[in-house]
Amino acid sequence: MPNLLRGINHTLAALTSNGGAFHAAWREAASGERWSGEWKSQANGHHGALRCVLRRRENGKWDAWFHARYARFLRVCYEVELAARPDGAHFLLAGESDLGALAGGIYKYDGELAGNHLHCTYRCRYDHGVFTLARGG
């Protein structure tokens, strides 16, 4: 029964997500700020397409705006501020975002940005998984 309730909650979260604002940001983003790939839950095997607009700010932080596809037709959009720490030729990223109770609450992110590849793990109270993205889109 808990899995059914989580599925319903994710559906409701997708229905209240602001996809129009993400699409506008995607259209306006420079090609180097666009990332495409996939997310995959390591808790239940669910996966889907993932796009991201990633913008570097002057204060050592990055703004990441994600657009995730869930269950083939549902889409969820959300923003995350990521702290970036240089580590040789790449950056280590960390951040968190409260996606609301319907989507699982607070998600924590840890990742690595190296050249044209971004690999990130995520976790919340009942899910955890990975993002794999490549620059371009």
Side-chain angles (χ1 to χ4, degrees):
M1 191 63 149
N3 287 336
L4 175 62
L5 291 176
R6 285 187 200 127
I8 292 169
N9 283 344
H10 277 286
T11 301
L12 293 172
L15 293 174
T16 61
S17 182
N18 188 354
F22 173 85
H23 292 300
W26 182 265
R27 284 189 303 272
E28 294 169 6
S31 62
E33 297 175 332
R34 294 180 191 166
W35 297 74
S36 298
E38 183 178 53
W39 66 272
K40 183 172 184 177
S41 169
Q42 294 175 326
N44 57 33
H46 292 165
H47 60 93
L50 180 67
R51 293 189 298 162
C52 176
V53 174
L54 185 64
R55 291 189 175 126
R56 187 176 187 174
R57 296 190 333 215
E58 292 180 14
N59 62 359
K61 305 234 184 222
W62 296 65
D63 290 324
W65 195 339
F66 292 103
H67 177 276
R69 183 176 290 171
Y70 177 76
R72 294 188 190 178
F73 64 91
L74 298 174
R75 284 141 179 87
V76 176
C77 301
Y78 58 94
E79 289 182 83
V80 179
E81 180 183 86
L82 298 169
R85 183 171 51 91
D87 187 35
H90 58 274
F91 290 92
L92 300 178
L93 305 172
E96 67 179 48
S97 183
D98 187 348
L99 303 187
L102 292 176
I106 296 174
Y107 280 68
K108 296 185 183 222
Y109 306 90
D110 292 295
E112 180 178 1
L113 174 63
N116 292 325
H117 300 283
L118 172 60
H119 179 82
C120 191
T121 61
Y122 71 89
R123 63 192 176 285
C124 70
R125 70 175 171 246
Y126 63 80
D127 195 11
H128 63 280
V130 296
F131 297 165
T132 306
L133 298 161
R135 191 184 311 264

